[in-house]
Amino acid sequence: MRLHRNLVFAVIDGLIEIFNEGGYADKVISKQLKRDKRWGSRDRSFIAETTYDIVRWKRLYAEIADVKEPFERKDLWRLFAVWCTLRGIKLPEWPQFEETPTRRIKGRFDELSNTRKYRESIPDWLDELGAEELGAKWDAEIAALNKQAPVVLRVNRLKGDIGSLQTALSEEGHETENIKPYKDALQLQERGNVFTTEAFKNGMFEVQDASSQLVAPLLGVEPGMRVIDACAGAGGKTLHLAAQMDNKGQLIALDIYGNKLKELKRRARRAGAFNIETRVIDSTKVVKKLHNSADRVLIDAPCTGLGVLSRNPDAKWKLQPEFVEKIKATQQSILVDYSKMVKPGGKMVYATCSILPSENQEQVKKFLKTEEGKDFSIEKQKTVLSSESGYDGFYMCLMVKKNKEA
């Protein structure tokens, strides 16, 4: 591989923003990709994937390069030199690479690979937490979460089926394959920008990980029901629910962030989903008005996001131990408050994109012991680990509320 200066400089500039200025990797990379209109898809792919790679392996590379945060520009060139050396890419004769000890880099890599926190490039506290909560499974799980995530699409059944989507994408140069047992999913055979396709513009699909696609079906919605997505965000799962309801019935999307619900409205228009009503939770009255009224409630709870590290590698560095405790308190409070919207005989799903039992099974157990939870019982629960599925780590639990009249 021949390195091009302007592409490498874009990577270095992006890393400064991510590591030293607290920028989110996806937003920083998206900005970097717009720097030069002459860049082709291969150039943009190099910038995105190299930046994500160095973000993912920051601790390992910094240890090999013997540099510490906050990084100076020359430190980031050293991280880049480590990245190249470990991939067998010959370093060009640029001043930034003078006196790079390539042999020592390989020796140091072999040495550090014997220790998990360096090998998997994670903070000490996260390594300890993962080992404490997942035991023997932590090794395989953190290794799986360090792999690049595949690109998975969800067919929008309001606009067509898997076959018609596959054909449409193939005509635009994107080959896909079915992945069993995910009945609405297609996986791209090669990474590519599917957002510019006519199929996307026409609302034929959404990009949604295969594990995430298991959540909405677990709720068992039917056309004509009143369904509430209580933490809807930008609406990936809301749109899946709308398709399963065949646009019939009432689907209320709630969130505390109005800007996310605006994005959901935009996506819903493209998807042709018109049974969705958005409401911002700007006071306790919004939820109170819906008490005992919903056939189904989805609580896709805020969480540490440890199950999606493969697509958000910078979360490893932004996440702090105190946040873990704080988010667990939030999850329990949401379960207690939002479960009141389920009517007797109705059902609720609690889901997270975390792999920690303390955010998942333990939260459900705790909820079932509360005054609000005593009328609920578990019907089904599922834990998805990246190491076993090849997709995001997820947890989902279906609970049913006692029908007092029965």
Side-chain angles (χ1 to χ4, degrees):
M1 178 195 281
R2 186 166 159 263
L3 295 173
H4 299 276
R5 266 179 207 274
N6 60 346
L7 302 182
V8 179
F9 272 91
V11 170
I12 300 293
D13 290 346
L15 291 172
I16 284 175
E17 240 181 285
I18 295 163
F19 292 151
N20 290 4
E21 296 164 23
Y24 286 90
D26 56 344
K27 290 185 170 62
V28 171
I29 290 168
S30 175
K31 188 179 80 176
Q32 293 300 88
L33 297 181
K34 293 171 185 157
R35 261 170 58 158
D36 193 329
K37 285 179 181 166
R38 294 166 299 178
W39 287 339
S41 61
R42 197 171 288 179
D43 300 326
R44 289 195 296 274
S45 166
F46 171 84
I47 292 168
E49 288 174 26
T50 307
T51 306
Y52 270 127
D53 248 352
I54 296 172
V55 168
R56 185 174 285 118
W57 302 108
K58 176 182 80 165
R59 183 171 192 185
L60 175 64
Y61 290 178
E63 203 68 30
I64 292 171
D66 196 21
V67 295
K68 289 185 167 52
E69 292 185 86
F71 299 124
E72 291 180 31
R73 201 171 181 82
K74 63 179 171 52
D75 297 334
L76 293 169
W77 279 100
R78 288 181 75 162
L79 294 190
F80 184 82
V82 171
W83 178 84
C84 289
T85 305
L86 294 178
R87 271 159 190 71
I89 298 165
K90 190 174 182 295
L91 292 172
E93 291 178 4
W94 298 353
Q96 291 91 344
F97 296 131
E98 278 172 12
E99 298 171 27
T100 299
T102 46
R103 192 171 292 173
R104 197 178 75 81
I105 285 172
K106 288 171 185 168
R108 197 84 176 99
F109 173 76
D110 293 339
E111 187 189 323
L112 290 165
S113 293
N114 295 318
T115 308
R116 185 176 56 211
K117 63 186 180 183
Y118 296 127
R119 180 179 69 244
E120 302 301 348
S121 189
I122 43 178
D124 288 8
W125 73 267
L126 182 54
D127 190 35
E128 287 157 18
L129 179 66
E132 183 191 321
E133 293 221 14
L134 292 179
K137 290 184 174 180
W138 176 238
D139 257 332
E141 193 59 14
I142 189 59
L145 290 169
N146 269 325
K147 292 189 171 85
Q148 188 184 49
V151 180
V152 180
L153 317 177
R154 177 182 59 74
V155 65
N156 174 16
R157 292 191 179 270
L158 295 173
K159 293 278 185 99
D161 56 24
I162 286 267
S164 59
L165 175 58
Q166 233 172 343
T167 304
L169 286 169
S170 180
E171 284 169 2
E172 295 195 64
H174 296 280
E175 296 305 325
T176 56
E177 56 198 4
N178 291 68
I179 46 172
K180 291 176 180 174
Y182 309 92
K183 64 186 184 69
D184 289 339
L186 286 176
Q187 186 169 316
L188 285 189
Q189 288 179 3
E190 280 181 32
R191 300 182 83 78
N193 184 3
V194 288
F195 297 114
T196 57
T197 61
E198 286 305 309
F200 179 73
K201 290 172 190 168
N202 294 332
M204 290 179 75
F205 70 89
E206 291 290 334
V207 174
Q208 186 180 5
D209 182 80
S211 300
S212 176
Q213 292 189 35
L214 297 172
V215 177
L218 187 63
L219 205 53
V221 299
E222 288 172 18
M225 280 183 170
R226 174 182 252 201
V227 179
I228 297 171
D229 186 350
C231 308
K237 296 178 188 72
T238 320
L239 297 175
H240 199 180
L241 289 167
Q244 291 182 315
M245 293 170 75
D246 200 23
N247 260 336
K248 298 183 178 88
Q250 186 184 23
L251 179 49
I252 301 169
L254 304 176
D255 205 271
I256 57 171
Y257 299 109
N259 58 330
K260 289 186 179 181
L261 293 176
K262 270 185 192 164
E263 172 65 6
L264 165 52
K265 281 183 185 172
R266 198 178 63 77
R267 290 172 76 186
R269 277 197 299 274
R270 187 181 62 238
F274 47 77
N275 67 329
I276 300 170
E277 178 193 334
T278 60
R279 296 184 194 176
V280 181
I281 303 174
D282 50 11
S283 74
T284 53
K285 286 179 190 167
V286 177
V287 171
K288 270 183 186 162
K289 276 182 185 171
L290 294 166
H291 280 187
N292 296 307
S293 73
D295 298 292
R296 300 286 186 270
V297 170
L298 170 59
I299 299 175
D300 183 21
C303 67
T304 55
L306 288 175
V308 294
L309 285 182
S310 54
R311 63 186 74 253
N312 295 325
D314 56 333
K316 291 191 284 192
W317 316 120
K318 288 188 165 52
L319 203 57
Q320 296 300 323
E322 51 272 21
F323 176 78
V324 181
E325 291 314 309
K326 193 175 159 192
I327 203 69
K328 286 194 282 198
T330 303
Q331 288 162 350
Q332 193 56 220
S333 157
I334 283 174
L335 258 172
V336 165
D337 290 347
Y338 294 2
S339 61
K340 294 172 189 168
M341 296 188 285
V342 184
K343 72 183 190 187
K347 295 183 182 183
M348 167 175 82
V349 163
Y350 170 77
T352 77
C353 55
S354 174
I355 49 172
L356 300 179
S358 62
E359 292 186 79
N360 299 332
Q361 296 91 331
E362 297 305 317
Q363 290 287 33
V364 171
K365 276 186 203 165
K366 194 175 172 185
F367 165 68
L368 294 176
K369 288 176 183 164
T370 64
E371 186 59 30
E372 293 77 11
K374 70 179 188 332
D375 289 336
F376 285 86
S377 57
I378 296 173
E379 194 169 290
K380 203 185 287 182
Q381 59 183 329
K382 186 176 179 66
T383 301
V384 184
L385 292 176
S386 261
S387 52
E388 294 168 1
S389 68
Y391 300 104
D392 288 346
F394 251 87
Y395 170 79
M396 51 208 83
C397 179
L398 175 66
M399 290 170 265
V400 61
K401 190 175 186 179
K402 203 186 292 175
N403 194 342
K404 289 175 180 173
E405 293 159 21

